[in-house]
Amino acid sequence: MTNDVYLECWTDGSTIKQKGQGRGDCGIAYAVTDGTDILFCGGEFIGKQTSNYAEMYAILRCLEEVSERIDGDVVGLTVYSDSEVSIKGLSGEYEISSENLVPLVERIEGMTYK
Protein backbone atom coordinates (compact mmCIF):
# COMPACT_ATOMS: atom_id res chain seq x y z
CA MET A 1 0.00 0.00 0.00
CA THR A 2 1.36 3.43 -0.84
CA ASN A 3 0.23 7.06 -0.45
CA ASP A 4 -1.20 8.73 2.64
CA VAL A 5 -3.36 6.38 4.67
CA TYR A 6 -5.99 6.79 7.36
CA LEU A 7 -6.34 3.69 9.50
CA GLU A 8 -8.54 2.21 12.19
CA CYS A 9 -7.10 -0.31 14.67
CA TRP A 10 -9.67 -2.53 16.37
CA THR A 11 -8.21 -4.34 19.38
CA ASP A 12 -9.22 -6.68 22.19
CA GLY A 13 -7.57 -8.71 24.90
CA SER A 14 -9.05 -11.46 27.01
CA THR A 15 -8.12 -13.47 30.08
CA ILE A 16 -9.38 -16.79 31.37
CA LYS A 17 -8.40 -17.16 35.00
CA GLN A 18 -8.98 -19.45 37.91
CA LYS A 19 -11.33 -18.06 40.54
CA GLY A 20 -9.52 -15.75 42.95
CA GLN A 21 -6.39 -15.30 40.82
CA GLY A 22 -5.40 -11.99 39.20
CA ARG A 23 -3.58 -13.51 36.25
CA GLY A 24 -4.76 -16.04 33.76
CA ASP A 25 -4.24 -17.35 30.26
CA CYS A 26 -4.47 -14.42 27.86
CA GLY A 27 -5.10 -13.93 24.18
CA ILE A 28 -5.27 -10.85 22.00
CA ALA A 29 -6.75 -9.95 18.64
CA TYR A 30 -6.57 -6.96 16.33
CA ALA A 31 -7.80 -5.86 12.94
CA VAL A 32 -6.67 -2.91 10.84
CA THR A 33 -9.03 -1.26 8.39
CA ASP A 34 -8.94 1.70 6.07
CA GLY A 35 -12.48 2.52 7.16
CA THR A 36 -13.96 0.29 4.48
CA ASP A 37 -11.92 -2.89 4.12
CA ILE A 38 -9.95 -5.03 6.55
CA LEU A 39 -6.30 -4.70 5.53
CA PHE A 40 -5.01 -7.35 7.93
CA CYS A 41 -5.75 -8.93 11.28
CA GLY A 42 -4.00 -11.13 13.78
CA GLY A 43 -4.07 -12.65 17.20
CA GLU A 44 -1.92 -14.58 19.58
CA PHE A 45 -1.74 -16.36 22.91
CA ILE A 46 0.41 -14.29 25.27
CA GLY A 47 0.63 -16.50 28.36
CA LYS A 48 -0.39 -15.68 31.93
CA GLN A 49 -1.13 -12.03 32.54
CA THR A 50 -3.85 -9.68 33.71
CA SER A 51 -6.78 -8.60 31.56
CA ASN A 52 -5.51 -4.99 31.55
CA TYR A 53 -2.16 -6.22 30.25
CA ALA A 54 -3.88 -8.20 27.48
CA GLU A 55 -5.92 -5.16 26.42
CA MET A 56 -2.88 -2.87 26.34
CA TYR A 57 -0.70 -5.49 24.62
CA ALA A 58 -3.33 -5.88 21.88
CA ILE A 59 -2.99 -2.16 21.13
CA LEU A 60 0.80 -2.38 21.07
CA ARG A 61 0.83 -5.39 18.71
CA CYS A 62 -1.64 -3.72 16.37
CA LEU A 63 0.49 -0.57 16.18
CA GLU A 64 3.64 -2.62 15.65
CA GLU A 65 1.99 -4.42 12.73
CA VAL A 66 0.88 -1.11 11.22
CA SER A 67 4.44 0.16 11.46
CA GLU A 68 5.81 -2.98 9.76
CA ARG A 69 3.15 -3.52 7.08
CA ILE A 70 1.95 -0.12 5.90
CA ASP A 71 3.90 1.64 3.16
CA GLY A 72 3.17 5.32 2.86
CA ASP A 73 2.51 7.98 5.43
CA VAL A 74 0.02 7.16 8.17
CA VAL A 75 -1.67 10.54 8.46
CA GLY A 76 -4.44 9.41 10.76
CA LEU A 77 -4.91 6.42 13.04
CA THR A 78 -7.78 5.72 15.43
CA VAL A 79 -7.57 2.94 18.01
CA TYR A 80 -10.79 1.28 19.11
CA SER A 81 -10.78 -0.70 22.36
CA ASP A 82 -13.34 -1.65 24.97
CA SER A 83 -10.71 -1.17 27.68
CA GLU A 84 -11.33 1.97 29.72
CA VAL A 85 -7.95 1.59 31.44
CA SER A 86 -6.11 1.44 28.10
CA ILE A 87 -7.93 4.31 26.41
CA LYS A 88 -7.97 6.66 29.38
CA GLY A 89 -4.44 5.67 30.36
CA LEU A 90 -3.04 6.37 26.90
CA SER A 91 -4.97 9.64 26.60
CA GLY A 92 -3.64 10.87 29.95
CA GLU A 93 -6.94 10.75 31.86
CA TYR A 94 -5.66 7.91 34.07
CA GLU A 95 -2.17 7.55 35.43
CA ILE A 96 -0.80 4.13 34.53
CA SER A 97 1.47 3.05 37.38
CA SER A 98 1.09 -0.73 37.36
CA GLU A 99 4.56 -2.22 36.89
CA ASN A 100 3.36 -4.63 34.22
CA LEU A 101 1.64 -1.89 32.16
CA VAL A 102 4.22 0.93 32.31
CA PRO A 103 6.63 -0.75 29.83
CA LEU A 104 3.77 -1.28 27.36
CA VAL A 105 2.67 2.35 27.62
CA GLU A 106 6.26 3.50 27.05
CA ARG A 107 6.54 1.33 23.93
CA ILE A 108 3.19 2.54 22.57
CA GLU A 109 4.06 6.19 23.20
CA GLY A 110 7.41 5.69 21.47
CA MET A 111 5.90 4.29 18.25
CA THR A 112 6.66 6.11 15.01
CA TYR A 113 5.28 5.62 11.53
CA LYS A 114 6.70 6.15 8.07
Side-chain angles (χ1 to χ4, degrees):
M1 177 182 300
T2 59
N3 301 320
D4 293 347
V5 290
Y6 296 88
L7 300 174
E8 296 176 345
C9 293
W10 297 82
T11 66
D12 200 14
S14 183
T15 304
I16 299 172
K17 56 187 171 183
Q18 300 289 333
K19 196 171 196 170
Q21 294 182 350
R23 294 178 187 247
D25 292 329
C26 293
I28 64 157
Y30 54 86
V32 176
T33 77
D34 61 7
T36 304
D37 297 313
I38 294 175
L39 304 177
F40 57 88
C41 57
E44 58 191 88
F45 172 72
I46 62 171
K48 289 209 180 296
Q49 257 309 339
T50 64
S51 57
N52 285 334
Y53 183 94
E55 296 279 6
M56 191 75 75
Y57 189 75
I59 294 170
L60 173 64
R61 286 294 299 127
C62 190
L63 297 176
E64 288 174 340
E65 289 295 318
V66 166
S67 181
E68 291 175 17
R69 291 179 181 226
I70 300 298
D71 293 327
D73 291 325
V74 177
V75 295
L77 186 142
T78 302
V79 174
Y80 294 95
S81 170
D82 64 354
S83 169
E84 184 176 331
V85 168
S86 294
I87 297 302
K88 289 188 175 185
L90 292 170
S91 70
E93 291 181 62
Y94 287 171
E95 180 182 345
I96 301 290
S97 58
S98 177
E99 66 183 35
N100 69 329
L101 296 181
V102 169
L104 296 178
V105 171
E106 290 172 351
R107 287 172 62 189
I108 290 168
E109 291 176 343
M111 297 290 303
T112 59
Y113 302 96
K114 303 171 185 118

